[in-house]
Amino acid sequence: MNFVLNLARYCTFHFVERLTRLSSLRDTMKFSAPRSISPSPVRREPRPTRRRSTFGLPPDSSDEEYGLAESDEESVSTLSSSASSDSFCYASESEVPPPQPKPRTAGRSLEDQYHKEDTIASIRLRVRHKDPYEEWEHQTRRDAFLSARNQQTRISSQLRRDKKQLHSKDANRLAALHTKQMQEVEAALASFKLQQQTEEQKLREQWRERDRQLWQRIENVIQFEENKVKAKLEAERKKREEEERKRKEAELQKRLAEEKKKEEEERKRREEEEKQKELQRQEEEKRKQAELDKQRAEHLKAEEEERKKLGLTTAEDDWRRARSALKALKAGPMKTVKSNKELKSLWSAARRQITPKVGQLTDDPQTVSRVSQQIVEIMRPSQPYPPEVYLALLSSLSKTILMQAETEVTAEKHSALPIAQVTVNLLWTLEGFSEIFFAKLCQRVGGWPIPFSIPATDVDGKTFSNEERTKAMGIMTVDGQDEGLSEHTARVAGIMRVYFHILFAPTPKPLDPLFRLPRYWTWFARILTDSKLLESPVAPELISTALEVGGFQARDIWGQQWVKLLGILYEGVTTGLHGTGRLIGGSAAPGPAARGRAELEIERIMGVIP
């Protein structure tokens, strides 16, 4: 690169030097070149001078290459002055002044004109002359420039190749060094790992030996204690057998004497009964005749009495009944049992027996029957419990069943069937269980079993506080925080699934009207008339649960009326009730998903109807 710059500087300097020599030669020729002798004594008239442009000389003239003629210099000076005078800008072309007229020059003599023409001719001859030495010099410099450029290119390429090879060698050396170091590190790690594994294996063996010796000592102590206990139990067993044998002999003698006495009393009682039966038969005939007369008199009130017998009550009546039973249970038996140490001990012992029994339920008829019988035996022992303890145990039993439904049915809905069957067995077996179970059911899930919207006042006329009303609605509180909507919906749906199975379960004798099959129709009729309940996201979830449990059986029982009710429900979960656009469950989650499940259940039931 430096060579090229030096060559350019040299050519520029040579060109300026040559131009300077040519200018000085022109000045010498102007004043010292002799005028050629005219071949004719008479000269032609000089032609009028005219303005010549810079292009007046031929293209091959030396003036074009090295300088300007005198007239051209004047033109350039004129243009420069004109350009300098017009250097400022005008607003428009109309404002540009016309060019200044060129002043006429004074006439020259004929001798000066001849001298000028001779000078120009001499310059042209000089300029058009080609010097072979200069041509050779130019060509030599051009070749030198090309040779230098090729040499520079070749040297640069060689330098790049050498640099690339050097980098490659360094990279290979570093890679080999890195590989060697990695091998050394891996060898050290492998050695350390092997040492660590050896130490760990040694420690494991020591711990195993220690554990073996420890467990051996424990087993020896246990075996020794077991032998002592076995010897003691054997002695007690023999003593009990001897006492039992003596007690049975005494009971046998006593029972023989009592049986003989009972036979004598039974004979006398039969004689008295025969006399009493004859008197009762006569009185019964009189009583039947009186009843016939009374039935005729009360025929007008028969319809009202029949409604009461069927258990057709209002939703508010059912809620007040459940709420009153719950308050009476807490204020009466539960308070008494908890305040009395002996009663509380009896209650706690029986309650601890009930909880494992309910947890052993499986979907097997034998297991259901066995668990039901065991619970009945716990609730009705040979020595009956005091009334307060019995009612408290009924409350604990109800709570245990409902909590089992919350945990198991929420996870697996098929587990609701055995829980419902055990509950049905207890409802028709245990006295007073129906009332307490329904009260506890409403306590756990609010007014959904009725269904009924919880009012602002309690049954005693006292206004609910926010916490009390939330609790009455069945919303649980965990660590001071109300349970979430999704958790509440799932929990209520699990308990209500058990309740719907109870309504359809077969029973050997009628249950309380709150647990009979007509309550299934009543539940749907009431929830469709309660706008507050329909707006809750829990409503479509419970509707889909109820349809899944008993939709097909309800179709077989109520026929076309059930189809009409399904049509109203389908309208409520798809387009809105009565064309209002108000969907069951509202827009909050999990309302849309529950509506979808209810819609599928309705379509599934309607699809099997001819």
Side-chain angles (χ1 to χ4, degrees), residues 193-412:
K193 185 176 181 180
L194 180 60
Q195 182 181 0
Q196 183 181 11
Q197 290 177 353
T198 304
E199 293 178 357
E200 288 180 355
Q201 183 66 23
K202 185 177 179 181
L203 290 174
R204 288 193 188 98
E205 293 295 335
Q206 293 177 357
W207 275 104
R208 290 194 190 100
E209 181 63 21
R210 180 185 174 187
D211 289 345
R212 188 187 64 78
Q213 294 177 0
L214 179 62
W215 281 108
Q216 184 63 33
R217 290 196 298 269
I218 293 173
E219 291 291 339
N220 294 335
V221 173
I222 293 174
Q223 185 66 28
F224 178 74
E225 294 295 332
E226 286 180 352
N227 293 335
K228 288 176 60 178
V229 172
K230 286 181 180 178
K232 184 178 180 181
L233 292 176
E234 183 66 20
E236 291 178 355
R237 184 183 63 80
K238 291 180 179 179
K239 183 178 181 181
R240 284 197 305 271
E241 288 179 354
E242 183 66 20
E243 292 177 353
E244 184 69 18
R245 185 183 63 80
K246 294 180 179 180
R247 185 182 61 80
K248 287 182 178 180
E249 290 179 356
E251 288 181 354
L252 179 60
Q253 295 177 359
K254 184 178 180 181
R255 187 170 61 253
L256 292 174
E258 289 179 354
E259 287 178 357
K260 186 177 180 180
K261 184 178 180 179
K262 284 182 180 180
E263 289 178 358
E264 184 67 21
E265 292 177 353
E266 183 69 17
R267 184 181 62 81
K268 293 181 179 180
R269 186 181 62 80
R270 284 197 298 269
E271 292 177 357
E272 292 292 333
E273 285 181 354
E274 289 177 358
K275 294 179 181 179
Q276 292 291 333
K277 285 181 180 180
E278 181 65 21
L279 295 175
Q280 288 179 0
R281 186 181 62 79
Q282 297 176 0
E283 292 178 357
E284 184 69 18
E285 291 179 356
K286 295 179 180 179
R287 186 181 62 81
K288 288 182 179 180
Q289 185 64 34
E291 286 180 355
L292 291 176
D293 297 339
K294 186 177 180 180
Q295 287 177 359
R296 294 188 187 96
E298 296 177 352
H299 180 71
L300 297 176
K301 297 182 179 180
E303 186 176 352
E304 181 180 358
E305 292 296 330
E306 186 67 21
R307 184 181 63 82
K308 292 181 180 180
K309 290 179 182 180
L310 292 176
L312 298 178
T313 57
T314 62
E316 184 177 1
D317 294 338
D318 292 343
W319 179 78
R320 288 183 173 277
R321 173 185 173 184
R323 185 69 180 172
S324 299
L326 180 64
K327 293 177 73 68
L329 180 66
K330 288 184 176 181
M334 294 301 299
K335 186 176 180 180
T336 303
V337 169
K338 291 181 179 180
S339 60
N340 189 306
K341 186 176 181 180
E342 295 180 359
L343 297 180
K344 185 176 181 180
S345 177
L346 290 174
W347 172 60
S348 300
R351 185 181 58 176
R352 285 192 295 269
Q353 296 178 18
I354 291 173
T355 302
K357 302 300 180 184
V358 178
Q360 296 173 3
L361 278 175
T362 59
D363 193 5
D364 178 62
Q366 289 78 14
T367 304
V368 171
S369 178
R370 176 176 56 82
V371 172
S372 301
Q373 183 62 30
Q374 290 175 350
I375 295 176
V376 171
E377 291 175 356
I378 295 172
M379 295 296 298
R380 294 192 305 192
S382 58
Q383 183 67 29
Y385 292 114
E388 296 83 0
V389 177
Y390 178 73
L391 294 177
L393 287 176
L394 290 180
S395 176
S396 300
L397 176 60
S398 302
K399 183 178 180 180
T400 303
I401 293 173
L402 295 175
M403 292 184 67
Q404 186 75 8
E406 289 180 1
T407 55
E408 289 196 9
V409 180
T410 302
E412 177 57 49

Side-chain angles (χ1 to χ4, degrees), residues 448-451 496-497 499-505 513-528 542-558 562 565-566 569 601-602 604-605:
W448 289 109
I450 297 173
M496 290 300 295
R497 183 180 292 273
Y499 177 69
F500 292 134
H501 275 293
I502 292 173
L503 298 182
F504 285 94
L514 296 172
F515 300 97
R516 294 179 186 176
L517 182 58
R519 293 288 298 187
Y520 187 77
W521 176 277
T522 302
W523 190 88
F524 279 99
R526 286 178 178 177
I527 198 171
L528 286 175
L542 297 185
I543 289 174
S544 64
T545 302
L547 294 176
E548 183 181 357
V549 172
F552 284 102
Q553 299 182 42
R555 173 185 62 85
D556 297 335
I557 295 172
W558 290 294
W562 179 249
L565 189 144
L566 290 180
L569 291 175
E601 287 297 328
I602 295 173
R604 184 171 63 88
I605 297 171

Side-chain angles (χ1 to χ4, degrees), residues 47-193:
R47 290 177 295 178
T49 61
R50 61 186 177 85
R51 183 180 179 185
R52 298 177 62 188
S53 67
T54 56
F55 303 95
L57 297 177
D60 57 352
S61 172
S62 59
D63 294 338
E64 184 180 4
E65 189 172 354
Y66 295 104
L68 298 173
E70 184 178 357
S71 62
D72 296 335
E73 291 177 357
E74 292 175 0
S75 299
V76 172
S77 63
T78 303
L79 291 172
S80 300
S81 63
S82 177
S84 63
S85 65
D86 297 333
S87 61
F88 63 90
C89 298
Y90 294 95
S92 63
E93 294 182 358
S94 61
E95 296 180 3
V96 178
Q100 298 294 333
K102 184 177 180 182
R104 294 177 176 234
T105 58
R108 295 179 182 176
S109 64
L110 184 60
E111 184 179 0
D112 292 338
Q113 294 179 3
Y114 287 157
H115 178 68
K116 179 180 178 182
E117 291 177 358
D118 291 342
T119 302
I120 293 173
S122 298
I123 292 171
R124 285 176 176 172
L125 289 175
R126 178 65 179 174
V127 170
R128 290 176 179 176
H129 175 72
K130 293 184 179 180
D131 189 354
Y133 175 78
E134 290 181 355
E135 293 292 333
W136 172 83
E137 186 179 8
H138 289 165
Q139 184 64 32
T140 302
R141 289 175 179 171
R142 188 178 299 109
D143 294 341
F145 176 75
L146 294 176
S147 178
R149 186 169 63 179
N150 292 334
Q151 184 179 4
Q152 183 190 15
T153 303
R154 186 170 58 257
I155 293 172
S156 299
S157 300
Q158 184 63 30
L159 287 174
R160 284 193 296 272
R161 285 194 298 272
D162 294 344
K163 190 175 182 180
K164 186 175 181 181
Q165 291 177 0
L166 181 60
H167 288 172
S168 178
K169 290 180 181 179
D170 291 342
N172 293 335
R173 181 178 59 80
L174 291 175
L177 179 61
H178 181 264
T179 303
K180 183 178 179 181
Q181 292 176 350
M182 285 295 295
Q183 292 175 354
E184 293 176 356
V185 171
E186 289 176 355
L189 290 175
S191 176
F192 177 75
K193 185 176 181 180

Side-chain angles (χ1 to χ4, degrees), residues 316-331 439 442-443 446 450 452-473:
E316 184 177 1
D317 294 338
D318 292 343
W319 179 78
R320 288 183 173 277
R321 173 185 173 184
R323 185 69 180 172
S324 299
L326 180 64
K327 293 177 73 68
L329 180 66
K330 288 184 176 181
C442 293
Q443 180 188 17
I450 297 173
F452 179 69
S453 297
I454 305 301
T457 57
D458 205 345
V459 291
D460 55 1
K462 182 181 177 181
T463 303
F464 279 119
S465 63
N466 292 334
E467 293 79 7
E468 292 174 345
R469 192 169 187 273
T470 300
K471 187 175 182 180
M473 293 172 65

Side-chain angles (χ1 to χ4, degrees), residues 411-513:
E412 177 57 49
K413 59 185 179 181
H414 296 292
S415 60
L417 190 59
I419 297 176
Q421 188 60 50
V422 169
T423 307
V424 170
N425 294 339
L426 298 176
L427 286 172
W428 66 266
T429 304
L430 299 177
E431 183 181 358
F433 183 59
S434 300
E435 190 79 17
I436 294 178
F437 180 77
F438 191 77
K440 298 294 289 186
L441 177 64
C442 293
Q443 180 188 17
R444 300 295 295 185
V445 298
W448 289 109
I450 297 173
F452 179 69
S453 297
I454 305 301
T457 57
D458 205 345
V459 291
D460 55 1
K462 182 181 177 181
T463 303
F464 279 119
S465 63
N466 292 334
E467 293 79 7
E468 292 174 345
R469 192 169 187 273
T470 300
K471 187 175 182 180
M473 293 172 65
I475 300 176
M476 309 302 293
T477 303
V478 181
D479 297 332
Q481 298 291 332
D482 294 341
E483 62 181 344
L485 181 59
S486 299
E487 292 79 4
H488 176 71
T489 303
R491 186 176 60 81
V492 172
I495 295 177
M496 290 300 295
R497 183 180 292 273
V498 174
Y499 177 69
F500 292 134
H501 275 293
I502 292 173
L503 298 182
F504 285 94
T507 57
K509 60 181 181 180
L511 300 178
D512 188 277

